[in-house]
């Protein structure tokens, strides 16, 4: 009988804390041995000479199979979304389970599980989106769901059907404090966006690029400040998601400097896209409509600075895919009448890691260790998956991404294997690519080919976020 199910030989293993030449022995889905020259045989041996062996990417901010308005269909379900995730070097993704107004949270959770069951190539674990914080939800459902391993929830400060009032935000934060959950905040001021949108529409300025005009930096900065202040009142940690610019970062840094448990996420679109991408002729700009919108070159620089100095704990995709050439997607008829009806979100589940690797590690902005922390380990720590995930350590799940650090790739949509029909990053030249993705010891993608026979990823119940009790050393990098 073989000693191991799988051995990855000859690679350079990178974790958040170091880089070593090391073989990895896997048995029953876990890492069972780490040694410079591992004795023993295995059913499968992968030669990783000249390659990097990293903890598989964890993308803690993705949207799959989410309802997105009448007639609109999200481009990825759990099968296509997690398949694409695996092509991009990810082994776990954290999608959202969205409570519709009037719906019980437990019902929503059941529904998303039924959508995901048997369809995931990577492992998954749900966050909750609280849109209707009734007494029943706050008093009973949320505490019970946190106990069951749904230990993080997202709240929105904008969108008609999702936004919570300050009072409701405080109530949800209070439950998070009581239960030890982590609150994720979408920080944009709803009334300000509504006012600006109505004014733009009255002026006939309805093209896709005015999506960005209707959500300027002040809208995000104000809401970020308010979310932090509310969290301070409750004394609860928060994660400000998809931060796009320096002014919002200044709010976050000020809070961090005061010792508040304020954590932050940014995404590839804020590093490599700008508002001018929304200027495309006809409806082309719709391909880049997401919220907050991409800003300008100075904002990109600011976000890079935040990545380098540890202001950002996590780097996620905010994958929220809609097909372009599709009346159920970006070219929905109503979207032609005003930017406000263009489905809001862009794909990025497969491109997150290669973009940060090439532009961050390759161009000398961050170390490999910081790359691993920002794309895997910190997600595991922030969302209660560590040390089962996010590390290459004895006993951890054998979730690995093997990278060819020299591979030159011109991004094209064909490489991504998602349900979308475009990538906002078409034509981008990158160096470094995840060539093999292994989930729980099973090879899922190898050399551009899906080799998994069937989707066998599982839902993972999570423990408490390490960040809830984190002693503040905001240099997470
Ligand atoms: N917020 C997200 O997190 N994703 C897509 C759209 C949005 O507003
Ligand atoms: Zn959001
Ligand atoms: Zn999102």
């Amino acid at each position: 009988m073989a000693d191991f199910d799988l051995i990855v030989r000859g690679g350079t293993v990178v974790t958040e804390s170091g880089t070593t030449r090391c073989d990895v022995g896997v048995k029953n889905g876990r890492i069972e041995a780490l040694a410079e020259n591992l004795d023993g045989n295995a059913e499968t041996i992968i030669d990783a000479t000249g390659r990097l062996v990293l903890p598989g990417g964890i993308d803690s901010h993705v949207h799959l199979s989410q309802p997105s308005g009448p007639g609109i269909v999200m481009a990825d379900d759990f099968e296509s979304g997690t398949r694409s995730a695996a092509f991009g070097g990810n082994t776990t993704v954290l999608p959202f389970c969205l409570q519709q107004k009037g719906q019980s949270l437990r019902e929503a959770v059941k529904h998303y599980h039924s959508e995901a069951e048997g369809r995931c190539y990577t492992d998954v674990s749900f966050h909750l989106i609280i849109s209707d914080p009734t007494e029943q939800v706050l008093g009973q459902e949320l505490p019970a769901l946190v106990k069951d391993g749904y230990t993080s929830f997202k709240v929105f400060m904008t969108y008609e059907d999702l936004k919570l009032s300050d009072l409701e935000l405080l109530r949800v934060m209070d439950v998070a404090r009581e239960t030890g959950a982590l609150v994720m905040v979408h920080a944009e001021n709803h009334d300000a966006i509504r006012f600006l949108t109505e004014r733009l529409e009255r002026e006939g300025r309805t093209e896709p690029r005015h999506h960005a005009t209707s959500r300027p930096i002040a809208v995000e900065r104000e809401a970020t400040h308010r979310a932090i202040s509310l969290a301070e009142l409750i004394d609860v940690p928060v994660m400000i998601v998809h931060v796009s610019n320096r002014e919002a970062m200044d709010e976050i840094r000020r809070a961090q400097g005061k010792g508040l448990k304020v954590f932050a996420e940014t995404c590839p679109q804020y590093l490599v896209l700008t508002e001018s991408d929304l200027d495309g002729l006809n409806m082309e700009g719709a391909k880049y409509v997401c919220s907050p919108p991409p800003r300008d070159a100075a904002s990109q620089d600011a976000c890079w600075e935040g990545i380098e100095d540890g202001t950002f704990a996590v780097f996620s995709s905010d994958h929220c895919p809609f097909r372009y050439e599709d009346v159920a997607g970006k070219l929905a008829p109503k979207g032609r009448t005003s930017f406000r009806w263009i489905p809001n979100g862009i794909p990025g589940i497969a491109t997150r890691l290669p973009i940060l690797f090439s532009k961050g590690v390759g161009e000398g902005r961050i170390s490999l260790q910081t790359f691993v922390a920002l794309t895997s380990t910190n997600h595991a720590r922030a969302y209660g998956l560590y040390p089962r995930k996010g590390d290459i350590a004895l006993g951890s799940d054998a979730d690995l991404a093997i990278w060819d650090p020299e591979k030159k790739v011109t991004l094209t949509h064909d490489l991504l294997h998602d349900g979308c029909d475009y990538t906002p990053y078409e034509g981008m030249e990158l160096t470094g690519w995840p060539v093999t993705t292994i989930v729980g010891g099973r090879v899922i993608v190898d050399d551009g080919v899906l080799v998994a026979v069937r989707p066998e990823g599982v839902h993972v119940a999570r423990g408490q976020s390490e960040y809830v009790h984190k002693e503040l050393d905001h240099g997470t990098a």
Side-chain angles (χ1 to χ4, degrees):
M1 203 171 103
D3 304 302
F4 299 100
D5 302 327
L6 167 72
I7 298 177
V8 179
R9 281 205 191 280
T12 298
V13 168
V14 186
T15 66
E16 65 169 354
S17 52
T19 298
T20 45
R21 242 289 304 119
C22 186
D23 296 345
V24 183
V26 173
K27 189 137 186 144
N28 299 325
R30 300 275 166 101
I31 297 172
E32 200 171 277
L34 292 164
E36 195 173 335
N37 287 299
L38 191 59
D39 278 339
N41 53 20
E43 280 159 30
T44 307
I45 295 190
I46 295 179
D47 179 7
T49 309
R51 306 232 153 132
L52 303 173
V53 182
L54 271 50
I58 301 175
D59 193 342
S60 59
H61 188 154
V62 308
H63 303 266
L64 301 173
S65 282
Q66 239 179 255
S68 308
I72 305 299
V73 180
M74 196 163 261
D76 277 314
D77 59 13
F78 284 87
E79 185 161 346
S80 63
T82 57
R83 179 182 66 211
S84 182
F87 273 95
N90 298 284
T91 52
T92 302
V93 300
L94 278 69
F96 293 90
C97 164
L98 167 70
Q99 177 202 24
Q100 312 259 24
K101 276 223 171 15
Q103 188 184 31
S104 109
L105 253 185
R106 192 54 89 170
E107 272 309 306
V109 169
K110 270 196 198 143
H111 168 73
Y112 279 85
H113 272 282
S114 71
E115 292 286 313
E117 185 77 41
R119 298 201 181 107
C120 296
Y121 286 97
T122 64
D123 285 349
V124 294
S125 188
F126 287 119
H127 306 289
L128 310 173
I129 290 176
I130 314 297
S131 70
D132 201 359
T134 59
E135 271 182 34
Q136 163 81 9
V137 164
L138 294 170
Q140 285 161 41
E141 294 198 315
L142 257 185
L145 284 162
V146 174
K147 276 207 183 91
D148 289 349
Y150 305 89
T151 54
S152 47
F153 19 93
K154 183 173 177 191
V155 290
F156 284 78
M157 298 171 80
T158 187
Y159 300 125
E160 211 55 66
D161 297 338
L162 296 175
K163 67 175 191 310
L164 302 188
S165 67
D166 290 354
L167 180 62
E168 290 171 320
L169 289 170
L170 287 162
R171 286 179 176 152
V172 172
M173 287 177 179
D174 198 34
V175 176
R177 182 179 161 78
E178 289 302 309
T179 57
L182 185 62
V183 181
M184 308 160 77
V185 185
H186 178 124
E188 287 185 299
N189 178 318
H190 181 76
D191 284 338
I193 295 168
R194 181 166 167 190
F195 172 83
L196 294 171
T197 300
E198 288 172 355
R199 193 170 69 181
L200 285 161
E201 287 181 341
R202 275 200 307 277
E203 294 166 353
R205 298 162 75 196
T206 55
E207 306 90 320
R209 71 190 154 95
H210 291 302
H211 169 77
T213 327
S214 71
R215 311 172 98 95
I217 284 174
V219 160
E220 184 182 344
R221 183 198 65 223
E222 184 280 330
T224 303
H225 176 88
R226 186 157 35 102
I228 291 171
S229 302
L230 300 180
E232 184 179 4
L233 289 177
I234 302 287
D235 187 20
V236 71
V238 280
M239 173 73 77
I240 310 292
V241 294
H242 45 50
V243 175
S244 72
N245 70 88
R246 185 179 299 280
E247 293 186 28
M249 288 168 61
D250 284 345
E251 299 293 338
I252 292 161
R253 284 177 169 146
R254 191 152 55 94
Q256 291 175 343
K258 281 168 65 176
L260 300 177
K261 288 186 178 136
V262 173
F263 305 96
E265 171 201 84
T266 192
C267 315
Q269 47 272 38
Y270 307 118
L271 299 182
V272 298
L273 300 180
T274 66
E275 188 175 343
S276 60
D277 287 304
L278 278 80
D279 285 346
L281 285 180
N282 301 316
M283 290 297 286
E284 281 283 319
K287 289 181 176 173
Y288 305 90
V289 165
C290 62
S291 298
R295 308 290 183 184
D296 58 7
S299 298
Q300 292 179 340
D301 291 345
C303 290
W304 275 117
E305 216 180 76
I307 281 189
E308 289 164 32
D309 72 10
T311 303
F312 295 116
V314 289
F315 184 73
S316 310
S317 68
D318 195 4
H319 180 75
C320 187
F322 299 97
R323 290 170 58 81
Y324 178 64
E325 297 274 357
D326 197 328
V327 290
K330 294 286 188 181
L331 294 187
K334 256 179 118 177
R336 293 181 186 272
T337 69
S338 168
F339 60 84
R340 92 153 87 182
W341 304 112
I342 296 172
N344 197 342
I346 61 175
I349 205 165
T351 43
R352 170 185 75 123
L353 297 174
I355 289 174
L356 189 67
F357 189 94
S358 185
K359 309 254 171 224
V361 181
E363 295 185 16
R365 292 179 167 111
I366 55 171
S367 67
L368 270 172
Q369 284 82 359
T370 299
F371 176 80
V372 167
L374 282 165
T375 58
S376 181
T377 317
N378 289 353
H379 299 251
R381 291 187 186 282
Y383 294 110
L385 287 165
Y386 191 83
R388 175 169 171 186
K389 294 190 181 289
D391 202 359
I392 298 183
L394 296 182
S396 293
D397 284 359
D399 293 348
L400 305 170
I402 303 178
W403 284 70
D404 179 346
E406 310 294 339
K407 186 165 172 154
K408 298 218 179 291
V409 171
T410 304
L411 275 185
T412 104
H413 180 250
D414 289 351
L415 295 172
L416 308 181
H417 304 270
D418 60 7
C420 221
D421 58 354
Y422 78 99
T423 167
Y425 310 109
E426 187 74 29
M428 188 176 279
E429 310 273 354
L430 300 177
T431 303
W433 195 256
V435 285
T436 307
T437 305
I438 298 167
V439 178
R442 302 179 309 275
V443 180
I444 307 300
V445 169
D446 193 28
D447 215 3
V449 178
L450 181 72
V451 294
V453 183
R454 67 187 87 81
E456 290 183 274
V458 294
H459 182 268
V460 183
R462 287 178 286 120
Q464 192 177 57
S465 165
E466 278 188 18
Y467 286 9
V468 170
H469 298 299
K470 193 173 167 74
E471 282 314 311
L472 286 175
D473 58 333
H474 265 296
T476 42

